Amino acid sequence: MSEARRTIILKVDCEKPERKKIELAADVIRRGGLVAFPTETVYGLGANALNSEAVRNIYLAKMRPMDNPIIVHVARREDVYRLAIEVPEEAEKLMRYFWPGPLTLILKASEIVPRITTGGLDTVAIRMPRHKVALALIEASGTPIAAPSANLAGRPSPTMAEHVIQDLYGRIDVILDAGPTNIGVESTVIDLTFNPPQILRPGGVTYEELKSVLGKVRVHPAAVSKSEVHIEKARSPGLKYRHYAPKAETIVVEGEFDAIVKKVMELARKHIGEGKRVGILATDESLREYGLGVVKSMGSRSDLSSIAKNLFKLLREFDDEGVDIIIAEGLPQDGLGLAVMNRLRKAAGYNIIEAK
Ligand code: AMP
Ligand code: MG
Protein backbone atom coordinates (compact mmCIF):
# COMPACT_ATOMS: atom_id res chain seq x y z
CA MET A 1 0.00 0.00 0.00
CA SER A 2 1.14 3.52 -0.67
CA GLU A 3 0.74 5.89 2.26
CA ALA A 4 -2.30 8.17 2.31
CA ARG A 5 -1.77 11.49 0.55
CA ARG A 6 -3.66 14.75 0.49
CA THR A 7 -4.86 15.09 -3.08
CA ILE A 8 -5.22 18.59 -4.55
CA ILE A 9 -7.63 18.91 -7.48
CA LEU A 10 -7.02 21.84 -9.83
CA LYS A 11 -9.30 22.82 -12.70
CA VAL A 12 -7.14 23.88 -15.63
CA ASP A 13 -8.05 25.57 -18.90
CA CYS A 14 -7.32 23.01 -21.63
CA GLU A 15 -6.49 25.68 -24.23
CA LYS A 16 -4.66 28.18 -22.01
CA PRO A 17 -3.37 26.30 -18.96
CA GLU A 18 -2.96 28.75 -16.06
CA ARG A 19 0.73 29.18 -15.32
CA LYS A 20 0.39 29.17 -11.57
CA LYS A 21 -1.40 25.85 -11.52
CA ILE A 22 1.06 24.26 -13.93
CA GLU A 23 3.95 25.58 -11.83
CA LEU A 24 2.45 24.09 -8.69
CA ALA A 25 2.06 20.68 -10.35
CA ALA A 26 5.54 20.88 -11.92
CA ASP A 27 6.99 21.57 -8.50
CA VAL A 28 5.34 18.40 -7.20
CA ILE A 29 6.91 16.44 -10.08
CA ARG A 30 10.34 17.92 -9.39
CA ARG A 31 10.05 16.92 -5.72
CA GLY A 32 9.30 13.33 -6.70
CA GLY A 33 5.50 13.48 -6.27
CA LEU A 34 2.61 12.14 -8.35
CA VAL A 35 0.45 14.28 -10.66
CA ALA A 36 -2.50 13.06 -12.75
CA PHE A 37 -2.86 15.11 -15.93
CA PRO A 38 -4.90 15.05 -19.13
CA THR A 39 -3.49 13.98 -22.48
CA GLU A 40 -5.37 13.74 -25.78
CA THR A 41 -5.82 9.97 -25.23
CA VAL A 42 -6.63 9.35 -21.55
CA TYR A 43 -5.54 10.85 -18.20
CA GLY A 44 -2.00 9.88 -17.17
CA LEU A 45 -0.44 9.46 -13.73
CA GLY A 46 2.90 11.25 -13.94
CA ALA A 47 6.18 11.26 -12.05
CA ASN A 48 9.75 12.26 -12.90
CA ALA A 49 10.75 9.45 -15.29
CA LEU A 50 14.41 9.68 -14.23
CA ASN A 51 13.74 9.36 -10.49
CA SER A 52 13.41 5.68 -9.49
CA GLU A 53 11.75 6.39 -6.17
CA ALA A 54 9.12 8.64 -7.79
CA VAL A 55 8.38 6.05 -10.47
CA ARG A 56 8.15 3.32 -7.83
CA ASN A 57 5.36 5.34 -6.24
CA ILE A 58 3.38 5.27 -9.50
CA TYR A 59 3.34 1.45 -9.36
CA LEU A 60 2.31 1.53 -5.70
CA ALA A 61 -0.47 4.10 -6.18
CA LYS A 62 -1.92 2.18 -9.14
CA MET A 63 -1.18 -1.25 -7.66
CA ARG A 64 0.47 -1.96 -11.01
CA PRO A 65 2.69 -5.04 -11.41
CA MET A 66 6.31 -3.87 -11.31
CA ASP A 67 7.25 -5.56 -14.59
CA ASN A 68 4.73 -3.57 -16.65
CA PRO A 69 6.79 -0.70 -18.12
CA ILE A 70 5.66 2.90 -18.22
CA ILE A 71 5.58 5.29 -21.17
CA VAL A 72 7.92 8.29 -20.90
CA HIS A 73 6.34 11.56 -22.06
CA VAL A 74 8.47 14.32 -23.56
CA ALA A 75 7.80 17.88 -24.71
CA ARG A 76 10.80 18.16 -27.04
CA ARG A 77 12.32 15.85 -29.60
CA GLU A 78 15.86 16.38 -28.24
CA ASP A 79 14.89 14.34 -25.19
CA VAL A 80 14.43 11.24 -27.35
CA TYR A 81 18.16 11.28 -28.07
CA ARG A 82 18.95 11.33 -24.33
CA LEU A 83 16.50 8.57 -23.45
CA ALA A 84 17.34 6.23 -26.35
CA ILE A 85 20.73 5.02 -27.58
CA GLU A 86 19.53 4.31 -31.10
CA VAL A 87 16.98 6.28 -33.08
CA PRO A 88 16.39 4.57 -36.44
CA GLU A 89 15.27 6.51 -39.49
CA GLU A 90 11.75 5.11 -39.26
CA ALA A 91 11.45 6.53 -35.75
CA GLU A 92 12.42 9.97 -36.99
CA LYS A 93 9.89 9.70 -39.78
CA LEU A 94 7.15 8.70 -37.34
CA MET A 95 7.99 11.59 -35.02
CA ARG A 96 7.75 14.01 -37.94
CA TYR A 97 4.36 12.68 -39.05
CA PHE A 98 2.63 11.89 -35.78
CA TRP A 99 4.16 13.93 -32.94
CA PRO A 100 2.80 15.47 -30.92
CA GLY A 101 0.16 12.73 -30.95
CA PRO A 102 -1.03 9.31 -29.80
CA LEU A 103 1.97 7.28 -30.97
CA THR A 104 4.48 5.68 -28.57
CA LEU A 105 7.87 4.56 -29.89
CA ILE A 106 9.78 1.64 -28.37
CA LEU A 107 13.53 2.24 -28.68
CA LYS A 108 16.71 0.92 -27.04
CA ALA A 109 17.00 2.65 -23.66
CA SER A 110 19.98 4.75 -22.59
CA GLU A 111 21.51 4.39 -19.14
CA ILE A 112 19.79 7.54 -17.82
CA VAL A 113 16.43 5.70 -17.82
CA PRO A 114 15.95 3.82 -14.52
CA ARG A 115 15.11 0.16 -14.98
CA ILE A 116 11.99 0.60 -12.87
CA THR A 117 10.63 2.92 -15.58
CA THR A 118 11.21 0.26 -18.27
CA GLY A 119 9.91 -2.58 -16.10
CA GLY A 120 13.37 -4.13 -16.25
CA LEU A 121 13.53 -4.15 -20.08
CA ASP A 122 16.41 -2.67 -22.09
CA THR A 123 13.95 -0.71 -24.19
CA VAL A 124 12.10 2.51 -23.41
CA ALA A 125 8.65 3.69 -24.57
CA ILE A 126 8.52 7.38 -25.53
CA ARG A 127 5.78 9.69 -26.72
CA MET A 128 5.01 13.38 -27.12
CA PRO A 129 1.37 14.05 -26.20
CA ARG A 130 -0.80 16.49 -28.15
CA HIS A 131 -2.37 18.32 -25.22
CA LYS A 132 -1.49 21.79 -24.02
CA VAL A 133 -1.76 20.89 -20.33
CA ALA A 134 0.46 17.81 -20.70
CA LEU A 135 3.07 19.69 -22.73
CA ALA A 136 3.05 22.66 -20.34
CA LEU A 137 3.50 20.34 -17.36
CA ILE A 138 6.42 18.43 -18.91
CA GLU A 139 8.05 21.67 -20.04
CA ALA A 140 7.69 23.32 -16.62
CA SER A 141 8.92 20.23 -14.78
CA GLY A 142 12.12 20.26 -16.81
CA THR A 143 12.16 16.46 -16.97
CA PRO A 144 10.56 13.70 -19.01
CA ILE A 145 7.46 12.39 -17.22
CA ALA A 146 6.71 8.69 -16.85
CA ALA A 147 2.95 8.20 -16.98
CA PRO A 148 0.73 5.16 -17.31
CA SER A 149 -3.03 5.66 -17.43
CA ALA A 150 -4.30 7.20 -14.17
CA ASN A 151 -6.53 4.31 -13.06
CA LEU A 152 -6.11 1.47 -10.60
CA ALA A 153 -4.43 -1.40 -12.45
CA GLY A 154 -6.94 -3.50 -14.38
CA ARG A 155 -9.72 -0.88 -14.40
CA PRO A 156 -11.00 0.99 -17.47
CA SER A 157 -8.72 3.92 -18.33
CA PRO A 158 -9.81 7.38 -17.16
CA THR A 159 -11.16 9.76 -19.77
CA MET A 160 -12.36 12.34 -17.24
CA ALA A 161 -10.89 13.70 -13.99
CA GLU A 162 -13.88 12.16 -12.16
CA HIS A 163 -12.57 8.69 -13.10
CA VAL A 164 -9.15 9.55 -11.67
CA ILE A 165 -10.81 10.76 -8.47
CA GLN A 166 -12.78 7.49 -8.20
CA ASP A 167 -9.64 5.38 -8.44
CA LEU A 168 -6.78 7.45 -7.00
CA TYR A 169 -8.10 10.15 -4.66
CA GLY A 170 -6.01 10.05 -1.49
CA ARG A 171 -3.25 8.06 -3.20
CA ILE A 172 -1.64 10.82 -5.31
CA ASP A 173 -0.67 14.49 -4.84
CA VAL A 174 -2.37 16.48 -7.62
CA ILE A 175 -5.10 15.98 -10.21
CA LEU A 176 -5.17 18.49 -13.09
CA ASP A 177 -8.73 18.54 -14.40
CA ALA A 178 -9.07 19.90 -17.94
CA GLY A 179 -12.30 18.13 -18.86
CA PRO A 180 -12.86 14.99 -20.92
CA THR A 181 -10.08 13.73 -23.18
CA ASN A 182 -10.43 13.89 -26.91
CA ILE A 183 -9.50 10.46 -28.27
CA GLY A 184 -10.56 8.18 -25.42
CA VAL A 185 -8.32 5.18 -26.13
CA GLU A 186 -4.60 5.03 -25.37
CA SER A 187 -1.70 5.65 -27.73
CA THR A 188 -0.57 3.16 -30.35
CA VAL A 189 2.63 1.43 -29.17
CA ILE A 190 5.06 0.55 -31.98
CA ASP A 191 8.33 -1.32 -31.51
CA LEU A 192 11.15 0.09 -33.64
CA THR A 193 13.76 -2.35 -32.41
CA PHE A 194 12.15 -4.73 -34.93
CA ASN A 195 12.30 -4.71 -38.68
CA PRO A 196 9.68 -4.15 -39.99
CA PRO A 197 8.37 -2.17 -37.00
CA GLN A 198 5.69 -3.95 -35.02
CA ILE A 199 2.52 -2.61 -33.42
CA LEU A 200 2.33 -3.97 -29.87
CA ARG A 201 -0.84 -2.12 -28.95
CA PRO A 202 -3.32 -0.56 -31.41
CA GLY A 203 -4.41 2.95 -30.37
CA GLY A 204 -5.02 6.53 -31.44
CA VAL A 205 -2.81 6.39 -34.56
CA THR A 206 -4.28 3.74 -36.86
CA TYR A 207 -2.61 0.79 -38.59
CA GLU A 208 -3.63 2.31 -41.94
CA GLU A 209 -1.88 5.61 -41.11
CA LEU A 210 1.28 3.84 -39.99
CA LYS A 211 1.31 1.66 -43.08
CA SER A 212 0.96 4.65 -45.36
CA VAL A 213 4.01 6.30 -43.78
CA LEU A 214 6.23 3.26 -43.19
CA GLY A 215 5.22 1.02 -46.09
CA LYS A 216 5.80 -2.08 -44.02
CA VAL A 217 4.44 -2.61 -40.53
CA ARG A 218 3.39 -5.71 -38.60
CA VAL A 219 0.80 -6.11 -35.89
CA HIS A 220 1.74 -8.29 -32.93
CA PRO A 221 -0.67 -11.27 -32.88
CA ALA A 222 -1.57 -10.57 -29.24
CA ALA A 223 -2.86 -7.12 -30.23
CA VAL A 224 -5.54 -8.52 -32.55
CA SER A 225 -6.15 -11.87 -30.93
CA LYS A 226 -9.55 -13.22 -29.96
CA SER A 227 -7.99 -15.20 -27.13
CA GLU A 228 -5.21 -14.86 -24.58
CA VAL A 229 -1.92 -15.15 -26.47
CA HIS A 230 1.19 -16.27 -24.67
CA ILE A 231 3.93 -14.04 -25.90
CA GLU A 232 7.65 -14.57 -25.82
CA LYS A 233 9.45 -13.17 -22.80
CA ALA A 234 7.35 -10.18 -22.03
CA ARG A 235 7.94 -8.07 -25.15
CA SER A 236 5.23 -5.77 -23.97
CA PRO A 237 4.35 -7.04 -20.56
CA GLY A 238 1.22 -4.92 -20.48
CA LEU A 239 -0.25 -7.30 -23.03
CA LYS A 240 -0.39 -10.14 -20.55
CA TYR A 241 -2.37 -8.51 -17.75
CA ARG A 242 -6.12 -8.26 -17.31
CA HIS A 243 -7.08 -4.82 -18.48
CA TYR A 244 -9.81 -2.24 -18.86
CA ALA A 245 -12.14 -4.49 -16.96
CA PRO A 246 -15.45 -3.38 -15.50
CA LYS A 247 -16.62 -5.21 -12.37
CA ALA A 248 -19.51 -6.77 -14.27
CA GLU A 249 -19.00 -9.92 -16.31
CA THR A 250 -18.65 -8.79 -19.93
CA ILE A 251 -19.42 -10.54 -23.23
CA VAL A 252 -18.57 -9.28 -26.73
CA VAL A 253 -20.79 -10.45 -29.58
CA GLU A 254 -19.01 -10.39 -32.94
CA GLY A 255 -20.15 -10.99 -36.53
CA GLU A 256 -22.40 -9.26 -39.09
CA PHE A 257 -24.45 -6.37 -37.76
CA ASP A 258 -27.91 -7.99 -38.07
CA ALA A 259 -26.69 -11.24 -36.52
CA ILE A 260 -25.06 -9.31 -33.66
CA VAL A 261 -28.28 -7.49 -32.80
CA LYS A 262 -30.25 -10.75 -32.83
CA LYS A 263 -27.71 -12.52 -30.63
CA VAL A 264 -27.42 -9.62 -28.16
CA MET A 265 -31.19 -9.65 -27.79
CA GLU A 266 -31.25 -13.39 -27.23
CA LEU A 267 -28.50 -13.23 -24.58
CA ALA A 268 -30.11 -10.26 -22.85
CA ARG A 269 -33.44 -12.11 -22.59
CA LYS A 270 -31.74 -15.19 -21.21
CA HIS A 271 -29.84 -13.31 -18.50
CA ILE A 272 -32.79 -11.13 -17.54
CA GLY A 273 -34.78 -14.34 -17.25
CA GLU A 274 -32.20 -15.53 -14.74
CA GLY A 275 -32.84 -12.43 -12.67
CA LYS A 276 -29.69 -10.54 -13.67
CA ARG A 277 -29.39 -6.84 -14.30
CA VAL A 278 -28.20 -6.60 -17.89
CA GLY A 279 -26.33 -3.74 -19.57
CA ILE A 280 -26.23 -3.54 -23.36
CA LEU A 281 -23.39 -1.68 -25.05
CA ALA A 282 -25.11 -0.76 -28.31
CA THR A 283 -24.51 1.64 -31.19
CA ASP A 284 -26.69 4.47 -32.55
CA GLU A 285 -27.82 2.12 -35.34
CA SER A 286 -29.15 -0.51 -32.93
CA LEU A 287 -30.12 1.56 -29.89
CA ARG A 288 -33.85 1.37 -30.54
CA GLU A 289 -33.87 -2.35 -31.31
CA TYR A 290 -33.47 -3.41 -27.70
CA GLY A 291 -36.49 -2.82 -25.53
CA LEU A 292 -34.89 -4.34 -22.43
CA GLY A 293 -31.98 -3.97 -20.04
CA VAL A 294 -29.90 -0.83 -19.47
CA VAL A 295 -29.00 0.21 -23.01
CA LYS A 296 -26.22 2.68 -23.81
CA SER A 297 -24.89 3.70 -27.21
CA MET A 298 -21.15 3.92 -27.78
CA GLY A 299 -21.80 6.15 -30.81
CA SER A 300 -22.36 5.68 -34.52
CA ARG A 301 -20.83 2.76 -36.43
CA SER A 302 -19.98 5.26 -39.15
CA ASP A 303 -17.90 7.32 -36.69
CA LEU A 304 -15.54 5.03 -34.79
CA SER A 305 -13.83 8.02 -33.19
CA SER A 306 -17.03 8.83 -31.27
CA ILE A 307 -17.10 5.23 -30.07
CA ALA A 308 -13.46 5.34 -28.95
CA LYS A 309 -14.24 8.49 -26.99
CA ASN A 310 -17.17 6.96 -25.09
CA LEU A 311 -16.06 3.39 -24.45
CA PHE A 312 -14.26 3.58 -21.09
CA LYS A 313 -16.74 6.05 -19.63
CA LEU A 314 -19.66 3.74 -20.44
CA LEU A 315 -17.92 0.71 -18.92
CA ARG A 316 -17.54 2.66 -15.68
CA GLU A 317 -21.16 3.85 -15.82
CA PHE A 318 -22.43 0.27 -15.99
CA ASP A 319 -20.44 -0.50 -12.86
CA ASP A 320 -21.84 2.56 -11.07
CA GLU A 321 -25.34 1.40 -11.97
CA GLY A 322 -24.76 -2.05 -10.52
CA VAL A 323 -25.18 -4.02 -13.73
CA ASP A 324 -24.34 -7.76 -13.33
CA ILE A 325 -23.51 -8.47 -16.94
CA ILE A 326 -22.55 -6.29 -19.91
CA ILE A 327 -23.30 -7.49 -23.43
CA ALA A 328 -21.33 -5.48 -25.99
CA GLU A 329 -21.74 -5.28 -29.76
CA GLY A 330 -18.57 -6.06 -31.72
CA LEU A 331 -17.40 -3.47 -34.26
CA PRO A 332 -15.53 -3.36 -37.56
CA GLN A 333 -11.77 -3.38 -37.04
CA ASP A 334 -10.71 -0.74 -39.53
CA GLY A 335 -9.30 2.61 -38.37
CA LEU A 336 -9.88 3.22 -34.67
CA GLY A 337 -12.05 0.08 -34.61
CA LEU A 338 -8.90 -2.02 -34.14
CA ALA A 339 -8.04 -0.22 -30.89
CA VAL A 340 -11.64 -0.27 -29.67
CA MET A 341 -12.03 -4.02 -30.31
CA ASN A 342 -8.68 -4.72 -28.62
CA ARG A 343 -9.93 -2.90 -25.48
CA LEU A 344 -13.40 -4.50 -25.61
CA ARG A 345 -12.05 -8.03 -25.96
CA LYS A 346 -9.66 -7.50 -23.07
CA ALA A 347 -12.35 -5.88 -20.95
CA ALA A 348 -14.39 -9.03 -21.56
CA GLY A 349 -11.46 -11.29 -20.65
CA TYR A 350 -11.83 -12.67 -24.22
CA ASN A 351 -15.37 -13.79 -23.50
CA ILE A 352 -16.39 -13.57 -27.17
CA ILE A 353 -19.45 -15.01 -28.87
CA GLU A 354 -19.65 -15.32 -32.65
CA ALA A 355 -23.12 -14.40 -33.92
CA LYS A 356 -24.23 -16.39 -36.96
P1 AMP B 1 -0.48 2.32 -20.04
O1 AMP B 1 0.26 3.58 -20.20
O2 AMP B 1 -0.77 1.90 -18.66
O3 AMP B 1 -1.76 2.35 -20.84
O4 AMP B 1 0.41 1.15 -20.65
C1 AMP B 1 1.59 1.36 -21.38
C2 AMP B 1 1.76 0.26 -22.38
O5 AMP B 1 3.01 0.40 -23.05
C3 AMP B 1 1.76 -1.11 -21.74
O6 AMP B 1 1.06 -2.00 -22.56
C4 AMP B 1 3.24 -1.43 -21.67
O7 AMP B 1 3.50 -2.81 -21.60
C5 AMP B 1 3.75 -0.79 -22.95
N1 AMP B 1 5.19 -0.48 -22.84
C6 AMP B 1 5.75 0.48 -22.10
N2 AMP B 1 7.10 0.43 -22.19
C7 AMP B 1 7.39 -0.60 -23.01
C8 AMP B 1 8.60 -1.17 -23.50
N3 AMP B 1 9.78 -0.70 -23.15
N4 AMP B 1 8.50 -2.24 -24.31
C9 AMP B 1 7.31 -2.71 -24.68
N5 AMP B 1 6.13 -2.21 -24.25
C10 AMP B 1 6.16 -1.17 -23.42
MG1 MG C 1 -3.25 1.51 -18.63
Side-chain angles (χ1 to χ4, degrees):
M1 268 295 281
S2 64
E3 78 230 58
R5 291 174 188 233
R6 197 170 71 87
T7 306
I8 301 170
I9 302 169
L10 295 172
K11 288 227 189 270
V12 187
D13 188 316
C14 65
E15 281 307 317
K16 287 198 188 115
E18 299 83 346
R19 250 194 75 187
K20 266 199 165 155
K21 297 178 183 174
I22 295 296
E23 268 309 323
L24 187 153
D27 194 48
V28 170
I29 295 281
R30 279 192 298 265
R31 292 165 189 261
L34 301 180
V35 176
F37 62 95
T39 76
E40 77 279 35
T41 58
V42 302
Y43 274 75
L45 177 59
N48 179 351
L50 307 182
N51 174 341
S52 305
E53 201 43 47
V55 173
R56 207 176 103 82
N57 284 326
I58 293 180
Y59 287 95
L60 294 176
K62 279 193 59 137
M63 301 199 277
R64 182 181 176 98
M66 290 271 178
D67 66 348
N68 189 3
I70 298 177
I71 295 169
V72 178
H73 294 71
V74 298
R76 346 165 151 216
R77 287 237 209 117
E78 299 94 271
D79 279 344
V80 174
Y81 299 86
R82 292 203 298 138
L83 297 164
I85 47 173
E86 237 179 84
V87 184
E89 216 173 284
E90 284 101 333
E92 289 182 330
K93 208 165 169 190
L94 292 175
M95 291 190 254
R96 277 200 303 277
Y97 273 86
F98 298 108
W99 277 15
L103 182 67
T104 296
L105 310 178
I106 306 288
L107 299 166
K108 290 208 176 98
S110 77
E111 75 289 346
I112 71 163
V113 186
R115 284 306 174 259
I116 190 156
T117 303
T118 67
L121 300 176
D122 56 8
T123 52
V124 59
I126 313 175
R127 110 169 170 97
M128 187 187 292
R130 190 188 201 93
H131 193 293
K132 291 194 173 131
V133 173
L135 290 170
L137 176 67
I138 302 165
E139 194 65 55
S141 302
T143 177
I145 293 184
S149 49
N151 51 281
L152 286 173
R155 300 265 300 136
S157 298
T159 55
M160 311 195 299
E162 287 76 6
H163 301 156
V164 183
I165 294 169
Q166 269 181 1
D167 279 18
L168 298 175
Y169 189 85
R171 303 175 70 82
I172 63 179
D173 300 300
V174 176
I175 299 172
L176 295 178
D177 175 0
T181 62
N182 193 29
I183 296 178
V185 291
E186 300 87 341
S187 62
T188 302
V189 177
I190 186 166
D191 191 339
L192 291 145
T193 67
F194 269 71
N195 197 359
Q198 189 174 40
I199 296 173
L200 299 180
R201 174 176 77 180
V205 170
T206 64
Y207 167 79
E208 292 86 343
E209 289 172 303
L210 288 167
K211 193 162 161 54
S212 80
V213 169
L214 290 174
K216 250 188 173 172
V217 56
R218 294 239 164 85
V219 183
H220 193 290
V224 286
S225 168
K226 292 191 178 193
S227 60
E228 205 85 58
V229 171
H230 292 282
I231 43 178
E232 68 279 17
K233 188 208 162 300
R235 279 275 306 290
S236 190
L239 297 175
K240 79 181 178 219
Y241 291 108
R242 187 166 154 78
H243 252 92
Y244 318 121
K247 291 169 196 142
E249 178 191 345
T250 304
I251 305 173
V252 186
V253 179
E254 299 189 17
E256 296 295 324
F257 176 61
D258 291 340
I260 290 178
V261 175
K262 224 173 101 203
K263 190 72 183 176
V264 170
M265 189 80 97
E266 182 190 316
L267 289 167
R269 276 208 199 93
K270 172 173 161 266
H271 288 285
I272 289 171
E274 291 167 3
K276 288 188 199 150
R277 202 166 145 74
V278 171
I280 298 178
L281 208 43
T283 45
D284 289 354
E285 289 77 4
S286 61
L287 192 58
R288 271 162 291 278
E289 305 284 330
Y290 309 111
L292 70 189
V294 182
V295 189
K296 295 178 190 286
S297 173
M298 299 181 272
S300 169
R301 288 179 168 266
S302 62
D303 178 13
L304 291 166
S305 66
S306 70
I307 292 185
K309 210 172 195 157
N310 287 324
L311 178 69
F312 288 133
K313 179 180 77 174
L314 296 178
L315 291 176
R316 280 180 184 259
E317 280 180 21
F318 278 130
D319 274 349
D320 296 342
E321 291 167 35
V323 157
D324 302 304
I325 182 161
I326 300 169
I327 307 170
E329 291 180 8
L331 298 159
Q333 293 195 68
D334 51 320
L336 277 175
L338 191 67
V340 171
M341 281 309 288
N342 166 274
R343 306 304 187 273
L344 255 185
R345 286 169 173 169
K346 285 192 173 207
Y350 297 103
N351 194 357
I352 299 166
I353 291 181
E354 294 290 338
K356 290 194 192 77

